[in-house]
Amino acid sequence: MTKTKLRRPISIPTAAGLTFLLFVSFLCFFAARWFVTVYGRIGFDSILFTLQSSLSGVQSDLVRSFLLGAALPCALCTALSCAILLLLRRLPLRGLLSILGSVIVSLGLCGYAAVDVELTDYVWALINRSQLYEDEYADPDSVRITFPEEKRNLVYIMLESMETTYLPQDLGGASHANLIPELYDLARENINFSHNDGVGGFHATSGASWTIGSIVAQTAGIPLKTPEGIEDWQNGYGKDGVFLPGATSITNILDEAGYHTTFLCGSDASFGGRKTYYLTHGMDKIYDIYTARKDGIVPKDYFVWWGMEDLYLFEYAKQELTELSQLEEPFAFTMLTVDTHHIGGYQCAYCLGEYEETYEQSISCSSRQVLEFVQWLKAQPFWENTTVVITGDHLSMDNGYFQRNVDEGYDRM
């Protein structure tokens, strides 16, 4: 009887089930490989947040890259596996072997994917409770914050994927040339928060390695941790109209102090929950590609890269800052650039083409545009009563560029 059972071929439903199992496993494997190849290892938190967020506003090139780099090889391997299973199902002793083989292959693929995207580190962090909040966090609601009688305006510039790696080696970077001389001079000539005596930076922590995570960390002083429970996953961040309502951010503080607060980006502000986060925390006005179209900054149907390039973003910022300066109350203006986003950045009309790497052209161009914008600010009547903060949002995710141009052991900041 045992031999008869062993020789029984697998049924069509069983073969279909095994094919589906292999499909899911191949998808996990190739999706993980694609993610690490494109972004590098930036933590499983960012993957979880992306999975439960809307893809509205995502760059079309990334979707195409995923389809070619993950979905297509997954489909081909699944089709090949299905053909093999159907071929082997009629051979003696192969039914049980097909099942065992499929399960072992699936476990191997999923296990490799889990390690590749640092799922194991994420699970370990969940098991081991951190003392971060007990030991380090100061609740803004329990701290007395005093403003001067004449409040200063704030211009907060977040630069996409900007890091000190782009400096030459003799200045602490890892580049073959100084890609950001203008930003270097601005940092050197003003207050610069650094890990060394020169122009340095800081390490990206878990929960702050992608844009919305960094925004939350910089403005609320906490890492963005993804939902864990089933109910949290069903709601998600921003899906019910609020985003971390229990946290107090700098925007909340400035709003309560009488500031007029605004946020400007050149893409869809809703992407990644940015719009919901800021509106939840006291932001008065949001500007993005859609308001730029309405305000005549770009044509009605304009869309390049992630929305509009930074040359239009800075012009939009000048227009809005001029209007804000006419208000009676002080203003807090936050803007986020986009041209240095991966992959390869965006080459606008201001790019000089001085480097072979297109990404380096975008980085260099961004540095020049920031300096020009700061010089414009200095020429404005409100300059003397305005504080300007310039910061990168997170380390670049253009993994291919750094594999080609930066030593593996370099400590990026």
Side-chain angles (χ1 to χ4, degrees), residues 5-10 14 18 22 84-85 88-89 91-105:
K5 290 182 179 180
L6 285 174
R7 290 177 179 276
R8 182 180 301 168
I10 58 175
T14 302
L18 293 177
L22 289 169
I84 293 175
L85 287 173
L88 296 181
R89 65 179 291 270
L91 300 179
L93 300 177
R94 296 305 174 93
L96 182 59
L97 292 178
S98 296
I99 295 174
L100 291 176
S102 298
V103 171
I104 292 173
V105 170

Side-chain angles (χ1 to χ4, degrees), residues 59 62 160-161 305-306 338-346 359:
Q59 182 198 4
L62 283 177
E160 172 65 46
S161 304
W305 193 232
W306 288 80
V338 73
D339 282 4
T340 48
H341 204 289
H342 69 284
I343 305 169
Y346 183 82
Y359 196 44

Side-chain angles (χ1 to χ4, degrees), residues 42-60:
I42 60 173
F44 192 70
D45 291 87
S46 62
I47 299 177
L48 280 181
F49 188 87
T50 302
L51 289 175
Q52 63 88 40
S53 300
S54 170
L55 292 179
S56 174
V58 71
Q59 182 198 4
S60 59

Side-chain angles (χ1 to χ4, degrees), residues 181-201:
E182 297 84 3
L183 290 175
Y184 175 79
D185 289 340
L186 285 172
R188 183 172 52 83
E189 296 167 1
N190 296 278
I191 298 175
N192 168 39
F193 295 93
S194 173
H195 69 294
N196 57 32
D197 294 334
V199 175

Side-chain angles (χ1 to χ4, degrees), residues 25 102-112:
S25 303
S102 298
V103 171
I104 292 173
V105 170
S106 296
L107 290 175
L109 291 170
C110 292
Y112 183 92

Side-chain angles (χ1 to χ4, degrees), residues 327-357:
L327 301 176
E328 294 185 1
E329 64 264 44
F331 63 81
F333 180 84
T334 301
M335 63 182 295
L336 171 68
T337 65
V338 73
D339 282 4
T340 48
H341 204 289
H342 69 284
I343 305 169
Y346 183 82
Q347 285 72 62
C348 71
Y350 289 170
C351 290
L352 301 179
E354 68 268 50
Y355 300 108
E356 292 184 5
E357 288 270 6

Side-chain angles (χ1 to χ4, degrees), residues 33 35-36 39-43 112 115-118 399:
R33 280 283 73 213
F35 186 88
V36 172
Y39 294 93
R41 290 183 172 85
I42 60 173
Y112 183 92
V115 174
D116 211 21
V117 297
E118 300 177 316
N399 191 48

